[in-house]
């Protein structure tokens, strides 16, 4: 995997988590700008998914197992969109908190993906 992309996705996820968390702190629901941010972070996750699948198809393999890596990769690509949809149904501060939690989960999954792939040895 591309280490720089993993770092960018993780940092973007943490920025989104901070932004949505601040909205929850201010007792605000998710707004259109938050959803645009979620879409951008989700797009980064999908780009990472495509690149990883291409690398897997090209013969590269993660150090700690392909099945585990693919499971984490799919979870990383889905967590922000899933929590974004959940925040649509909860139009209170808890919608913002849900989106922030999803972004934190994505950042943690990125660290784990980095570790499963080989921690920079690829």
């Amino acid at each position: 995997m591309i280490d720089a992309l993993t770092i960018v996705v993780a940092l973007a996820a943490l920025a989104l988590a901070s932004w949505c968390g601040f909205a929850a702190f201010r007792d605000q629901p998710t707004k259109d700008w938050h959803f645009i941010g979620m879409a951008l972070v989700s797009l980064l996750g999908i780009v990472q998914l495509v690149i990883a699948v291409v690398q897997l198809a090209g013969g590269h393999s993660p150090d700690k197992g392909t099945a585990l890596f693919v499971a984490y990769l799919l979870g990383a690509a889905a967590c922000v969109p899933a929590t974004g949809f959940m925040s649509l149904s909860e139009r209170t501060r808890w919608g913002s908190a849900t989106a922030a939690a999803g972004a934190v989960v994505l950042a943690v999954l990125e660290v784990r993906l980095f570790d499963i792939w080989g921690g920079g040895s690829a």
Side-chain angles (χ1 to χ4, degrees), residues 79-94:
C79 69
V80 170
T83 55
F85 283 118
M86 289 172 58
S87 73
L88 276 173
S89 65
E90 183 61 46
R91 300 302 290 177
T92 65
R93 72 184 292 177
W94 297 109

Side-chain angles (χ1 to χ4, degrees), residues 27-50:
D27 201 22
Q28 295 177 345
T30 47
K31 298 188 175 162
D32 291 342
W33 289 108
H34 295 115
F35 289 107
I36 292 170
M38 284 184 255
L40 292 174
V41 171
S42 297
L43 181 64
L44 286 172
I46 291 169
V47 167
Q48 181 183 39
L49 173 73
V50 169

Side-chain angles (χ1 to χ4, degrees), residues 47-61:
V47 167
Q48 181 183 39
L49 173 73
V50 169
I51 289 173
V53 167
V54 167
Q55 287 188 342
L56 288 171
H60 299 285
S61 63

